[in-house]
């Protein structure tokens, strides 16, 4: 009986030890994630944990999540703990365990925690996800753009080396503006993103250049659009991404379609449709089907048009942004009905197209209001920051003044006490040691000499400070004189004519006084320039009009366009805006 009692106890102890051993072993599996920087941890967690388990059943995921969470808590790794919590949010959202509102509420809790723990990079990442939830799922565009704009201010303060998903965050911000046809802001963000290094997800680079191509295409700048699309295809081929290659070929096909080159557009659009649907990019696929159906109608192939239109309607409910694409889908359906002689059905389809187009306009109006409110909020924020900076400077000035006053008071007190001590010592020596008067006088003389020397040192120090201040004021005056001199030189440049080599050398001498070293940098960055090219670029740097440049060079104003066209062709520059940017930044 006693044996059975202790046997049961021993079995329990062994079982508990075994379970703890299993947990310890499981934690060892994820130790490689501990105490990593954000830049190291995020891609590592994504590629080795989340990609492996995002399609796993909930029990397997819960086991991995709990193990990583306990390991992070045990080792005091706040970054890994936040990564695990955010990974759990991704899993539950990806597998539809969250509703849209619930997903947003959970992100807000994670955002508060990241702020409290000063996990600034996770603050950026969570706010980015929050913006996406507002934009694509709740369609609350005002809150979405508020998050995007506030987040971008934080993103610019962090390097891409410390924030490997920086490019992705900026690209999605630009794409959000693009979705509302705000091409100016979209292009601004995407051009910035295009300069950011991205060593993690290659698709982000394709997305960035693809949207830039779409912006140029929507502005009917087809050569520039195809230039960006071809860069996308090069990246897609390099990374063996056949899906994106098909999508971008479709965008080139739409460029041909918009120019009326239907025969060239059709095969590219067909490939795009197949690739988009296989990848799950239903918005892009339906958009290309609309163009493909219209192209078939234009070339008279109504059978193929009906076939692809049916596919478009089958996938319509799978689109993420139905409002954006339904007007075009209804319109092309109406066009096909007219070609088939069904005018009544065409009329109903036109009404539906107009209805969704109206909804799209109302949505854009909401977006305009959101941008105005966000701008006002940003202006208030800027004023608050400016006020805080002024108050901070005032506090600093008062503090420094108090410190200086305290130091001066200490010095004066010391000098007074020291002087009284010397005086008292001298008087006592006179009374007690009258016979040593000569020695006492000598000591007094030495003390006076020391005091006099110290006074001279203090005066010299004051003189040096005064001299520095005078020099500083003199430098400011010299700078003002220099600016005035620059203005005089610029006026001489504007009044110049360059008809002979001698006049060019004088013009060049004046120009180099204002823009030192510019011509040498120009020759280094753009080798092979002719003398005429250099003169044109120098005049462009001065922001002169074509008429003013022609007057200086003694040629017709139309010749300026020829110079500009020749430069763009020589250096493969796509547009005048890029050429002006290069000239200004050399």
């Amino acid at each position: 009986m006693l044996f059975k009692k202790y046997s049961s106890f021993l079995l329990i102890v062994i079982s508990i030890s075994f379970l703890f051993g299993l947990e310890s072993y499981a934690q060892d599996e994820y130790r490689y994630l501990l105490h990593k920087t954000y830049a190291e941890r995020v891609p590592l967690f994504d590629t080795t944990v989340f990609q492996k388990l995002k399609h796993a059943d909930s029990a397997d995921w819960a086991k991995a999540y709990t193990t990583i969470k306990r390991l992070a808590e045990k080792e005091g790794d706040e970054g890994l703990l936040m990564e695990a919590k955010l990974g759990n949010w991704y899993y539950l959202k990806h597998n539809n365990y969250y509703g849209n509102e619930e997903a947003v509420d959970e992100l807000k809790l994670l955002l508060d925690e990241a702020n409290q723990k000063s996990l600034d990079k996770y603050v950026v990442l969570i706010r980015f996800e929050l913006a996406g939830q507002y934009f694509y799922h709740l369609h609350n565009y005002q809150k979405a753009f508020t998050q995007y704009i506030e987040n971008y201010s934080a993103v610019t303060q962090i390097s891409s080396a410390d924030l490997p998903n920086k490019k992705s965050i900026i690209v999605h911000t630009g794409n959000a503006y693009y979705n509302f046809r705000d091409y100016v802001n979209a292009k601004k963000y995407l051009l910035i993103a295009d300069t950011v290094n991205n060593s993690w997800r290659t698709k982000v680079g394709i997305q960035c250049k693809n949207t830039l191509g779409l912006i140029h295409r929507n502005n009917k700048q087809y050569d520039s659009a195809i230039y960006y699309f071809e860069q996308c295809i090069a990246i897609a081929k390099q990374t063996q991404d056949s899906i994106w290659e098909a999508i971008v070929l479709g965008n080139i096909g739409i460029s041909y379609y918009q120019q009326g080159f239907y025969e060239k557009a059709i095969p590219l659009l067909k490939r795009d449709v197949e690739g988009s649907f296989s990848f799950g990019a239903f918005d892009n696929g339906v958009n290309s089907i609309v163009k493909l159906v219209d192209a078939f109608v234009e070339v008279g192939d109504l059978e193929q048009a009906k076939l692809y239109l049916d596919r478009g309607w089958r996938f319509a409910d799978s689109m993420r942004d139905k409002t954006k694409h339904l007007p075009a889908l209804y319109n092309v359906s109406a066009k096909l009905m007219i070609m088939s002689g069904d005018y009544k059905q065409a009329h109903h389809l036109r009404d539906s197209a107009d209805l969704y187009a109206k909804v799209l306009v109302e949505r854009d109006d909401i977006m305009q209001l959101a941008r105005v409110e966000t701008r006002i909020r940003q202006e208030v924020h800027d004023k608050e920051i400016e006020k805080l900076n002024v108050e901070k400077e005032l506090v600093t000035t008062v503090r420094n003044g108090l410190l200086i006053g305290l130091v001066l008071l200490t010095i004066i007190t010391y000098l007074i006490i020291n002087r009284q001590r010397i005086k008292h010592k001298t008087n006592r020596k006179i009374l007690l040691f009258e016979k040593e008067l000569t020695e006492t006088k000598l000591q007094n003389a030495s003390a006076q000499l020391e005091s006099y020397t110290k006074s001279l040192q203090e005066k010299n120090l004051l003189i040096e400070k005064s001299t520095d201040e005078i020099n500083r004021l003199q430098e400011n005056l010299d700078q003002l004189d220099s600016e005035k001199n620059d203005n005089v030189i610029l006026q001489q440049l504007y009044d110049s004519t360059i008809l002979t080599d001698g006049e060019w050398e004088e013009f060049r001498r004046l120009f180099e006084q204002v823009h030192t070293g510019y011509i040498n940098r120009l020759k280094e960055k753009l080798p092979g320039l002719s003398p005429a090219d250099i003169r044109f670029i120098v005049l462009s740097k001065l922001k002169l009009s074509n008429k003013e440049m022609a007057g200086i060079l003694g040629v017709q104003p139309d010749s300026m366009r020829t110079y500009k066209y020749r430069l763009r062709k020589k250096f493969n520059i796509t547009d005048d805006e890029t050429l002006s940017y290069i000239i200004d930044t050399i």
Side-chain angles (χ1 to χ4, degrees):
M1 194 70 182
L2 185 62
F3 174 74
K4 288 183 177 180
K5 179 180 179 181
Y6 283 104
S7 296
S8 300
F9 176 74
L10 184 61
L11 182 61
I12 293 172
V13 171
I14 292 173
S15 299
I16 293 173
S17 300
F18 178 72
L19 290 174
F20 275 108
L22 284 178
E23 183 174 2
S24 177
Y25 173 78
Q27 288 182 355
D28 287 341
E29 181 183 356
Y30 298 109
R31 282 193 176 276
Y32 66 93
L33 295 170
L34 279 171
H35 305 301
K36 294 286 192 295
T37 65
Y38 176 89
E40 294 169 336
R41 186 190 308 110
V42 171
L44 194 61
F45 187 91
D46 183 73
T47 54
T48 64
V49 179
F50 192 72
Q51 291 301 322
K52 178 182 176 182
L53 294 172
K54 69 179 180 180
H55 296 298
D57 61 45
S58 57
D60 288 340
W61 170 258
K63 179 181 177 181
Y65 167 62
T66 302
T67 301
I68 296 172
K69 181 182 175 183
R70 288 178 178 173
L71 176 63
E73 290 172 340
K74 177 182 176 182
E75 299 291 336
D77 191 338
E78 294 291 354
L80 179 57
L81 180 59
M82 180 56 66
E83 187 67 43
K85 291 181 178 180
L86 193 56
N88 188 53
W89 180 88
Y90 283 132
Y91 176 83
L92 296 176
K93 179 63 180 175
H94 181 77
N95 291 284
N96 298 317
Y97 289 100
Y98 279 144
N100 292 329
E101 294 285 355
E102 189 179 4
V104 167
D105 290 340
E106 186 63 25
L107 279 177
K108 288 179 179 178
L109 293 175
L110 290 176
L111 183 60
D112 289 341
E113 183 178 346
N115 273 312
Q116 290 171 5
K117 295 179 178 179
S118 299
L119 300 172
D120 57 330
K121 299 173 186 65
Y122 282 103
V123 169
V124 166
L125 182 58
I126 295 169
R127 186 176 284 160
F128 166 67
E129 294 295 342
L130 189 59
Q133 291 298 309
Y134 281 131
F135 192 97
Y136 295 108
H137 299 287
L138 296 181
H139 306 297
N140 189 329
Y141 303 109
Q142 179 175 338
K143 287 187 177 180
F145 277 92
T146 298
Q147 294 295 331
Y148 277 130
I149 293 169
E150 290 180 359
N151 209 34
Y152 178 74
S153 299
V155 167
T156 56
Q157 305 301 316
I158 308 174
S159 69
S160 56
D162 293 329
L163 189 69
N165 38 6
K166 178 175 182 176
K167 187 184 190 83
S168 177
I169 291 172
I170 302 176
V171 167
H172 281 82
T173 302
N175 284 344
Y177 279 100
Y178 173 80
N179 285 334
F180 275 94
R181 298 192 293 279
D182 186 347
Y183 301 140
V184 174
N185 275 313
K187 185 176 181 181
K188 178 187 74 173
Y189 284 107
L190 291 168
L191 286 175
I192 293 171
D194 201 31
T195 65
V196 176
N197 293 327
N198 178 64
S199 58
W200 182 17
R201 291 174 174 166
T202 55
K203 285 184 175 61
V204 174
I206 300 178
Q207 291 171 355
C208 179
K209 293 182 182 295
N210 181 62
T211 308
L212 282 169
L214 294 176
I215 291 171
H216 285 288
R217 191 183 71 192
N218 290 331
N219 291 328
K220 302 188 185 305
Q221 299 167 334
Y222 297 109
D223 290 342
S224 297
I226 292 175
Y227 166 78
Y228 280 109
F229 291 146
E230 288 176 345
Q231 287 187 336
C232 292
I233 291 175
I235 299 174
K237 287 182 177 179
Q238 183 181 0
T239 57
Q240 297 181 341
D241 192 331
S242 58
I243 303 299
W244 260 109
E245 183 179 355
I247 290 173
V248 178
L249 284 173
N251 286 332
I252 295 177
I254 294 175
S255 299
Y256 289 139
Y257 162 81
Q258 289 180 346
Q259 297 176 80
F261 304 145
Y262 302 116
E263 298 291 348
K264 294 174 68 175
I266 287 173
L268 296 175
L269 291 171
K270 289 171 69 176
R271 183 171 174 183
D272 180 24
V273 169
E274 301 305 327
S276 296
F277 287 156
S278 64
F279 180 59
F282 300 111
D283 291 66
N284 188 78
V286 172
N287 180 56
S288 293
I289 274 184
V290 168
K291 275 67 175 184
L292 184 57
V293 170
D294 193 47
F296 276 127
V297 170
E298 291 295 332
V299 299
D301 193 343
L302 300 186
E303 183 177 350
Q304 285 292 311
K306 291 178 181 178
L307 180 66
Y308 275 95
L309 183 61
D310 288 342
R311 290 188 69 186
W313 280 112
R314 284 202 304 272
F315 287 105
D317 288 334
S318 299
M319 290 188 295
R320 186 166 61 175
D321 190 358
K322 293 174 62 176
T323 305
K324 181 178 179 181
H325 300 289
L326 281 178
L329 193 58
Y330 275 114
N331 274 323
V332 76
S333 299
K335 185 174 182 178
L336 186 56
M337 289 298 102
I338 291 172
M339 296 297 294
S340 302
D342 191 345
Y343 298 103
K344 183 177 180 181
Q345 182 65 16
H347 177 71
H348 290 310
L349 291 168
R350 291 286 190 193
D351 287 343
S352 297
D354 291 340
L355 177 63
Y356 277 98
K358 182 180 179 181
V359 172
L360 190 61
V361 169
E362 290 174 351
R363 189 178 79 172
D364 286 355
D365 289 341
I366 294 173
M367 173 58 196
Q368 293 288 343
L369 175 62
R371 283 207 297 271
V372 170
E373 292 180 351
T374 301
R375 185 166 60 249
I376 293 172
R377 189 180 296 110
Q378 186 65 36
E379 290 174 356
V380 171
H381 175 71
D382 291 341
K383 289 180 179 178
E384 289 294 327
I385 293 297
E386 183 180 357
K387 180 180 178 181
L388 288 174
N389 287 334
V390 170
E391 291 176 353
K392 182 179 178 181
E393 290 178 2
L394 179 60
V395 169
T396 301
T397 302
V398 172
R399 182 196 63 191
N400 291 341
L402 290 174
L403 287 174
I404 292 172
L406 182 60
V407 170
L408 289 175
L409 181 61
T410 301
I411 293 173
I412 293 171
T413 302
Y414 170 77
L415 290 175
I416 292 174
I417 293 173
N418 189 56
R419 184 177 180 84
Q420 291 296 326
R421 183 181 61 82
I422 293 173
K423 183 178 180 181
H424 177 72
K425 185 178 180 180
T426 302
N427 290 335
R428 189 178 64 174
K429 284 185 178 181
I430 291 173
L431 294 172
L432 298 176
F433 306 104
E434 190 174 3
K435 292 181 180 181
E436 298 178 4
L437 182 59
T438 303
E439 182 180 349
T440 303
K441 288 182 179 180
L442 180 60
Q443 290 178 356
N444 287 336
S446 298
Q448 291 175 1
L449 179 60
E450 180 184 351
S451 178
Y452 180 74
T453 302
K454 189 171 184 178
S455 176
L456 285 178
Q457 290 174 341
E458 291 175 349
K459 290 179 179 179
N460 287 337
L461 180 62
L462 182 60
I463 290 171
E464 288 176 1
K465 290 183 178 178
S466 299
T467 302
D468 291 340
E469 182 65 17
I470 291 170
N471 290 337
R472 185 182 66 79
L473 293 173
Q474 185 60 46
E475 288 176 359
N476 289 340
L477 289 173
D478 291 342
Q479 183 178 354
L480 289 173
D481 291 339
S482 176
E483 292 176 356
K484 292 179 179 178
N485 190 41
D486 283 350
N487 291 334
V488 172
I489 292 172
L490 285 172
Q491 188 59 48
Q492 291 176 349
L493 288 172
Y494 295 152
D495 295 337
S496 299
T497 57
I498 305 175
L499 302 177
T500 67
D501 290 340
E503 289 173 336
W504 161 247
E505 287 302 321
E506 176 62 16
F507 184 93
R508 174 174 176 165
R509 182 184 66 78
L510 293 171
F511 179 88
E512 285 289 345
Q513 290 183 38
V514 179
H515 302 286
T516 305
Y518 180 89
I519 295 177
N520 288 335
R521 293 195 302 273
L522 177 65
K523 292 178 178 179
E524 289 176 0
K525 291 192 175 183
L526 299 176
L529 289 170
S530 67
D533 293 335
I534 293 174
R535 294 179 185 182
F536 171 76
I537 291 174
V538 165
L539 291 173
S540 298
K541 175 69 176 175
L542 294 175
K543 302 297 183 184
L544 298 174
S545 65
N546 287 349
K547 182 177 180 181
E548 290 169 334
M549 289 192 288
I552 291 175
L553 294 173
V555 298
Q556 293 297 320
D558 289 341
S559 299
M560 297 300 100
R561 298 190 188 92
T562 303
Y563 280 122
K564 188 177 295 184
Y565 172 78
R566 188 170 64 246
L567 276 174
R568 285 178 53 197
K569 184 176 181 182
K570 179 182 290 186
F571 295 102
N572 196 24
I573 298 172
T574 57
D575 50 37
D576 291 346
E577 181 181 351
T578 304
L579 177 60
S580 298
Y581 175 80
I582 291 173
I583 291 172
D584 290 338
T585 56
I586 286 178

